[in-house]
């Protein structure tokens, strides 16, 4: 791994400016003043199961919210978080499908077979049908369940669709990214199709409406037509702020002083999404849901720094197992919280929402054994200790093996060429190739993308395949302690071995030409017959099968560019 010089900047100069000396605990940037620990609790019992609104944003960087010191305006998120509980030790996954699958199932990727990459549009693959999903458990508890937004958990057959996996209604896209207005999505040269669905039908009539507005209007319509006396669950998976970078002009105008075009458009999309959350909250109050509601806000992975996002001051970005890829923005806002207006440092992972929300709904978890998530509501609402003490970030046996990794480097316990990451207590271990490892300041300069943003390609990456950090004391991952603490390294390697013994085979079948939208009326949607399933499921695609260069299709030139670019970034080839 080469070391790149930074024109006009250096790590030392950035430290002198204070960029990397940000006080992690500084109240003005991260935390409100904590509530007095002796504060009296509210009555413990809820009168009836609460309404649950889960809001998931796409590719929003850790830095890209006002209360993390951002230059992007998010007044609604700031207010809701300040009045609720901010989760500042909250973890997600580095890319889309893994986070969504773990939210919906409460299980790590290694336990669903989705531990490698994402589900691609032409793959005969989806969230395993033997998994009982979060909305299915809420339906059992008497909830009306609705999904609005991005699915990205597979759709090759009808049984994979949201309406077959626990949602009463669905309006949104099935693939990973679409045009915000036309809802077109291209998955290669000439492989383009429409992707906006109402239930199990193609929603052709909704084309032309900006997705953030469309999804917010649908949430309001659902609330208006439902009775607040009956519990409701709405999963709002915004497309924002994933590429392509598109926003109504009035939002872009607010950031006209930003010299960097990508950052300007991205900021506009974040602020537009923030106003959408404001409108959803207003609808909850207008239609009588708010007083008995729980609003959960979460990002799905780290920000993509090449597309305007920022995870500063964390290391890495989307697609990596550095903190910038896996530490998320998260908060809970609810009148039902007993200790409000505080910051929680309890360890929380995206798998925890499954048992937490089912428990809040008074659902039955006894028939869903071996969940990887924990009920963290007492930690959130009452400030109690989190039951979670460790997180398996992932073990991906198919990802490109690190050149200098070996079983010997892993003390004969673990092959350090394999991409894996785990946190146990204060300690975080990474093996293999964790992904692009720089610290990248917010992209505000006009010459981005350019050489300036390549802050530093770390020299410790040379001939290295194992890292250890005390992540509590060193959240920026600046001090590798693997040589100083071999005892801790061995302990965490043994935990990886433990988890790996429980892993199921990777589900990553080859792409199939029958998925082409031209064979489905011009839209992405289910295409496989029942006779096809046994033949395709479980087949692993060779790692280099998609490495050939492709020409950009005319319809989705920009999206094709970003898709190729993101693939290169995640493979650490730039």
């Amino acid at each position: 791994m080469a070391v790149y010089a930074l024109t006009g900047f250096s790590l030392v100069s950035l430290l002198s400016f204070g960029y990397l000396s940000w006080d992690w605990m500084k109240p003005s940037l991260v935390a409100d003043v904590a509530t007095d620990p002796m504060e009296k609790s509210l009555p413990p019992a809820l009168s009836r199961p609460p309404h649950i609104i889960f809001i998931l944003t796409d590719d929003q960087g850790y830095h890209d919210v006002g209360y993390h010191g951002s230059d992007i305006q998010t007044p609604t998120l700031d207010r809701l978080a300040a009045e609720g509980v901010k989760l500042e030790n909250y973890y997600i996954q580095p890319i889309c499908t893994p986070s969504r699958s773990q939210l919906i199932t409460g299980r790590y990727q290694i336990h669903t077979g989705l531990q490698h990459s994402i589900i691609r549009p032409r793959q005969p693959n989806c969230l395993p049908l033997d998994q009982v999903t979060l909305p299915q458990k809420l339906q059992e508890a008497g909830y009306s369940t609705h999904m609005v937004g991005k699915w990205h958990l597979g759709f090759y057959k009808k049984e994979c669709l949201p309406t077959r996996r626990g949602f009463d209604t669905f309006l949104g896209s099935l693939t990973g990214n679409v045009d915000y207005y036309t809802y077109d999505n291209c998955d290669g040269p000439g492989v383009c199709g429409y992707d906006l669905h109402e239930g199990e039908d193609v929603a052709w009539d909704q084309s032309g409406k900006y997705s953030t507005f469309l999804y917010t209007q649908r949430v309001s319509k659902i609330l208006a037509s439902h009775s607040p006396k009956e519990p409701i669950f709405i999963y709002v998976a915004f497309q924002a702020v994933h590429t392509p970078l598109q926003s109504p002009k009035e939002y872009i105008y607010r950031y006209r002083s930003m010299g960097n075009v990508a950052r300007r458009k991205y900021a506009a999309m974040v602020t537009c999404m923030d106003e959408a959350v404001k409108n959803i909250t207003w609808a909850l109050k207008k239609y009588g849901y708010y007083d008995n509601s729980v609003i959960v806000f979460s990002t799905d992975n780290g920000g993509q720094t090449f597309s305007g996002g920022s995870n500063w001051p964390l290391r890495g970005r989307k697609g990596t197992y550095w903190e910038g890829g896996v530490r998320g923005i998260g908060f809970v806002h609810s009148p039902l919280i007993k200790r409000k207006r505080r910051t929680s440092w309890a360890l929380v992972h995206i798998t925890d929402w499954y048992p937490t929300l089912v428990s809040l709904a008074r659902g039955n978890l006894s028939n869903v054994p071996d969940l990887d998530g924990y009920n963290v509501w007492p930690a959130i609402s009452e400030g109690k200790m989190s039951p979670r003490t460790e997180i398996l970030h992932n073990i991906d046996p198919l990802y490109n093996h690190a050149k200098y990794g070996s079983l010997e480097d892993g003390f004969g316990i673990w092959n350090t060429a394999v991409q894996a990451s785990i946190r146990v207590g204060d300690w975080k271990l990474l093996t293999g190739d964790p992904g692009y490892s720089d610290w990248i300041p917010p992209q505000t300069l006009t010459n981005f993308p350019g050489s300036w943003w390549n802050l530093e390609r770390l020299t410790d990456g040379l001939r290295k395949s194992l890292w250890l950090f005390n992540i509590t004391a060193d959240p920026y991952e600046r001090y590798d302690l693997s040589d100083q603490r071999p005892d801790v390294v061995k302990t965490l390697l043994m935990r990886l071995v433990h988890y790996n013994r429980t892993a199921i085979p990777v589900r990553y079948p080859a792409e199939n030409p029958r998925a082409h939208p031209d064979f489905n009326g011009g839209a992405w949607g289910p295409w496989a017959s029942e006779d096809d399933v046994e033949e395709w499921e479980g087949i692993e695609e060779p790692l280099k099968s998609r490495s050939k260069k492709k020409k950009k299709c005319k319809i989705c030139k920009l999206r094709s560019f970003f898709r190729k670019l993101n693939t290169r970034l995640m493979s650490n080839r730039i």
Side-chain angles (χ1 to χ4, degrees):
M1 187 181 293
V3 180
Y4 293 92
L6 175 65
T7 305
F9 289 88
S10 69
L11 185 58
V12 174
S13 65
L14 285 167
L15 282 167
S16 67
F17 279 109
Y19 285 114
L20 289 182
S21 60
W22 178 35
D23 185 351
W24 189 257
M25 298 291 289
K26 189 174 182 179
S28 62
L29 294 180
V30 174
D32 292 326
V33 177
T35 305
D36 187 283
M38 298 304 292
E39 178 182 85
K40 294 182 179 180
S41 297
L42 296 176
L46 302 177
S47 59
R48 59 184 186 275
H51 308 297
I52 301 169
I53 311 297
F54 196 103
I55 301 173
L56 187 72
T57 59
D58 199 341
D59 286 9
Q60 183 179 0
Y62 180 84
H63 182 68
D64 298 327
V65 65
Y67 66 85
H68 280 177
S70 179
D71 55 346
I72 298 176
Q73 301 166 22
T74 58
T76 301
L77 300 184
D78 297 345
R79 178 179 56 80
L80 292 177
E83 295 173 356
V85 176
K86 298 174 184 175
L87 305 177
E88 290 301 332
N89 205 4
Y90 175 56
Y91 286 87
I92 48 183
Q93 296 305 113
I95 48 179
C96 301
T97 297
S99 280
R100 293 161 204 274
S101 69
Q102 298 193 47
L103 166 66
I104 292 294
T105 67
R107 287 183 166 87
Y108 291 141
Q109 296 163 253
I110 63 166
H111 296 146
T112 60
L114 300 176
Q115 55 266 59
H116 179 66
S117 191
I118 60 173
I119 295 178
R120 309 206 71 85
R122 288 179 281 170
Q123 284 183 313
N125 195 13
C126 72
L127 187 73
L129 299 179
D130 61 350
Q131 296 292 319
V132 180
T133 67
L134 171 61
Q136 286 172 334
K137 295 304 296 181
L138 293 176
Q139 281 181 331
E140 290 179 8
Y143 276 68
S144 173
T145 59
H146 306 269
M147 179 179 173
V148 180
K150 172 178 169 178
W151 176 238
H152 207 186
L153 289 174
F155 58 87
Y156 76 104
K157 58 181 181 179
K158 287 188 175 180
E159 288 76 10
C160 301
L161 297 176
T163 47
R164 306 288 180 101
R165 304 311 304 272
F167 289 104
D168 297 326
T169 69
F170 169 67
L171 174 67
S173 60
L174 300 174
T175 61
N177 68 299
V178 299
D179 186 282
Y180 281 74
Y181 293 96
T182 68
Y183 300 96
D184 291 326
N185 177 29
C186 293
D187 190 47
V191 188
C192 302
Y194 185 80
D195 182 18
L196 183 64
H197 296 259
E198 173 89 50
E200 298 182 7
D201 299 321
V202 181
W204 297 104
D205 60 321
Q206 302 293 345
S207 179
K209 301 176 182 178
Y210 188 67
S211 72
T212 303
F213 294 159
L214 177 66
Y215 295 156
T216 306
Q217 291 165 3
R218 174 51 58 94
V219 173
S220 181
K221 183 177 180 180
I222 291 170
L223 293 172
S225 61
H226 186 79
S227 170
K229 295 181 180 180
E230 301 297 329
I232 191 171
F233 170 59
I234 306 180
Y235 172 36
V236 188
F238 282 116
Q239 176 187 353
V241 288
H242 197 290
T243 55
L245 300 179
Q246 296 173 300
S247 172
K249 291 182 180 179
E250 59 267 29
Y251 293 94
I252 297 177
Y253 184 76
R254 301 185 191 185
Y255 296 99
R256 61 192 179 278
S257 62
M258 278 190 178
N260 179 265
V261 175
R263 181 70 173 170
R264 184 190 312 155
K265 292 180 179 179
Y266 174 91
M269 295 166 71
V270 173
T271 296
C272 182
M273 176 273 296
D274 180 84
E275 291 193 4
V277 175
K278 176 182 179 181
N279 290 334
I280 291 173
T281 307
W282 179 83
L284 287 170
K285 294 179 178 179
K286 177 182 179 181
Y287 298 115
Y289 297 87
Y290 178 78
D291 289 341
N292 189 39
S293 68
V294 174
I295 302 172
V296 180
F297 181 90
S298 171
T299 49
D300 71 334
N301 47 245
Q304 181 53 276
T305 54
F306 207 77
S307 303
S310 174
N311 306 301
W312 189 258
L314 302 179
R315 184 175 182 178
R317 59 190 175 203
K318 173 183 177 178
T320 76
Y321 288 95
W322 304 106
E323 291 293 282
V326 297
R327 190 179 285 235
I329 300 172
F331 65 79
V332 180
H333 177 94
S334 172
L336 307 176
I337 293 174
K338 295 179 179 179
R339 293 184 58 203
K340 303 180 182 69
R341 298 180 179 274
R342 65 184 183 86
T343 293
S344 170
W345 294 92
L347 188 61
V348 180
H349 184 248
I350 195 167
T351 53
D352 297 331
W353 296 121
Y354 186 114
T356 299
L357 298 181
V358 173
S359 297
L360 271 177
R362 302 176 186 175
N364 180 17
L365 289 169
S366 62
N367 59 348
V368 190
D370 303 322
L371 288 176
D372 294 308
Y374 295 84
N375 179 5
V376 292
W377 184 250
I380 293 171
S381 178
E382 302 172 46
K384 293 184 177 181
M385 293 288 293
S386 172
R388 176 177 289 281
T389 59
E390 63 183 46
I391 296 172
L392 176 69
H393 293 301
N394 197 25
I395 300 171
D396 186 347
L398 296 190
Y399 193 81
N400 299 330
H401 282 200
K403 184 176 180 180
Y404 298 104
S406 68
L407 185 61
E408 180 181 0
D409 289 341
F411 300 98
I413 300 172
W414 180 263
N415 183 356
T416 63
V418 176
Q419 185 191 63
S421 181
I422 188 171
R423 173 171 172 173
V424 178
D426 295 330
W427 298 99
K428 178 181 177 182
L429 181 81
L430 304 98
T431 69
D433 179 2
Y436 192 87
S437 63
D438 296 353
W439 295 277
I440 306 172
Q443 300 83 15
T444 55
L445 302 186
T446 56
N447 63 336
F448 174 83
S451 60
W452 79 271
W453 65 274
N454 237 344
L455 177 60
E456 182 185 12
R457 186 62 60 87
L458 297 172
T459 56
D460 71 357
L462 295 173
R463 300 179 179 275
K464 191 168 183 59
S465 61
L466 186 148
W467 297 260
L468 177 71
F469 302 96
N470 183 323
I471 212 66
T472 302
D474 178 26
Y476 314 130
E477 297 170 297
R478 289 155 56 188
Y479 307 109
D480 177 15
L481 302 176
S482 57
D483 291 336
Q484 293 95 313
R485 295 300 304 270
D487 57 322
V488 178
V489 170
K490 292 176 184 178
T491 298
L492 270 61
L493 289 176
M494 287 300 297
R495 292 304 295 162
L496 285 178
V497 171
H498 164 76
Y499 280 112
N500 199 45
R501 287 172 180 160
T502 70
I504 68 173
V506 179
R507 298 167 56 93
Y508 200 72
E511 296 177 346
N512 192 288
R514 286 180 55 189
H516 198 301
D518 285 354
F519 302 133
N520 194 34
W524 292 102
W527 49 271
S529 66
E530 289 299 322
D531 295 334
D532 298 328
V533 175
E534 285 190 19
E535 179 182 353
W536 293 326
E537 284 188 344
I539 301 175
E540 295 180 3
E541 180 180 4
L543 287 177
K544 297 183 180 180
S545 63
R546 300 188 313 278
S547 61
K548 296 181 181 179
K549 293 182 179 179
K550 299 177 181 179
K551 296 180 180 179
K552 301 178 182 69
C553 68
K554 294 181 180 179
I555 300 177
C556 53
K557 198 172 182 180
L558 181 60
R559 279 161 285 153
S560 180
F561 165 75
F562 277 113
R563 179 180 167 223
K564 293 177 184 178
L565 179 61
N566 289 342
T567 300
R568 292 176 64 198
L569 293 175
M570 286 189 291
S571 299
N572 201 18
R573 293 176 181 171
I574 292 183

